[in-house]
């Protein structure tokens, strides 16, 4: 953004921007929380399935004195293999829940940062340029663009503007040689 554009902006606009970003992040956290709850429900169902299968297995498996010549495994071996598969799927879902919880925490931390910045801007900043600079620095430090897939952040807009300003002008048709 040019200096003239920043001068035209009021600090209140940056405060509102920060609050909007915090609200969007909070909405994302809520959505991720619902997804994590669904995964936890699935984990509970799978745990119940594993328990019921384990309870259905005979308490003691009779051992044979010599190796069996049958190529077909008995029912308990099939159940154990199925239970082990369920356990592996359960562990994968637990890892997904943990990753989702870590991501939720990161989103919550960024939302809190935006909220704190909004409070700082509204109470301690009077200049639109300074407010813009603080928002851009905050977003760069927090890697905010990584949290917004469908929305351009101020730091991205500033980078695009700086890149556009630094690109050379197209060559004119008439050259002086």
């Amino acid at each position: 953004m040019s200096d003239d554009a920043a001068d035209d902006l009021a600090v209140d606009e940056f405060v509102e921007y920060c609050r909007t970003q915090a609200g969007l992040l909070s909405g994302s956290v809520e959505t991720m929380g619902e997804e994590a709850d669904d995964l936890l429900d699935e984990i509970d169902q799978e745990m119940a399935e594993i328990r019921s299968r384990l309870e259905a297995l005979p308490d003691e498996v009779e051992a044979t004195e010599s190796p069996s010549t049958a190529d077909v495994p008995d029912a308990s071996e099939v159940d154990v293999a199925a239970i082990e598969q369920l356990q592996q799927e359960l562990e994968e879902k637990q890892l997904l829940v943990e990753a989702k919880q870590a991501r939720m925490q990161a989103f919550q931390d960024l939302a809190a940062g935006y909220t704190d910045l909004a409070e700082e801007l509204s109470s301690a900043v009077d200049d639109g340029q300074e407010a813009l600079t603080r928002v851009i620095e905050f977003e760069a430090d927090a890697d905010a663009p990584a949290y917004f897939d469908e929305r351009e952040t101020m730091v991205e807009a500033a980078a695009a503007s700086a890149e556009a300003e630094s690109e050379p002008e197209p060559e004119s048709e008439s050259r002086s040689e």
Side-chain angles (χ1 to χ4, degrees):
M1 284 189 152
S2 70
D3 288 342
D4 293 338
D7 290 340
D8 293 341
L9 296 174
V11 172
D12 290 344
E13 293 178 58
F14 293 106
V15 169
E16 185 60 32
Y17 168 81
C18 289
R19 289 183 178 147
T20 299
Q21 296 294 83
L24 291 170
L25 291 165
S26 295
S28 294
V29 168
E30 188 175 312
T31 300
M32 285 185 274
E34 291 168 0
E35 292 168 357
D37 288 345
D38 290 344
L39 281 172
L40 289 171
D41 289 344
E42 288 178 30
I43 289 170
D44 287 344
Q45 290 171 356
E46 288 178 18
M47 289 291 291
E49 173 73 19
I50 290 172
R51 272 190 228 103
S52 69
R53 285 190 179 195
L54 286 172
E55 290 169 358
L57 290 176
D59 289 335
E60 293 181 24
V61 177
E62 293 182 24
T64 59
E65 291 182 24
S66 63
S68 171
T69 57
D71 291 335
V72 180
D74 67 27
S76 64
E77 289 176 6
V78 172
D79 282 345
V80 170
I83 290 170
E84 288 174 348
Q85 178 63 34
L86 280 173
Q87 181 181 359
Q88 182 179 352
E89 291 170 8
L90 178 70
E91 290 170 357
E92 290 171 3
K93 286 184 181 177
Q94 287 173 326
L95 290 174
L96 281 172
V97 169
E98 290 172 11
K100 208 167 271 293
Q101 288 171 334
R103 190 163 188 236
M104 288 168 57
Q105 185 61 51
F107 273 61
Q108 288 172 331
D109 292 346
L110 185 57
Y114 271 113
T115 300
D116 292 345
L117 180 58
E119 292 303 315
E120 281 179 40
L121 294 177
S122 67
S123 65
V125 176
D126 296 327
D127 176 52
Q129 181 63 43
E130 180 183 348
L132 174 62
T133 300
R134 299 221 2 219
V135 169
I136 291 171
E137 288 172 353
F138 169 78
E139 288 184 342
D141 291 344
D143 194 24
Y147 295 81
F148 297 96
D149 294 334
E150 299 174 6
R151 182 176 169 97
E152 185 177 56
T153 61
M154 291 275 186
V155 71
E156 290 172 306
S161 177
E163 186 177 307
E165 289 177 8
S166 67
E167 289 180 2
E169 294 292 321
E171 292 183 28
S172 63
E173 292 181 29
S174 62
R175 293 179 154 202
S176 58
E177 293 181 29

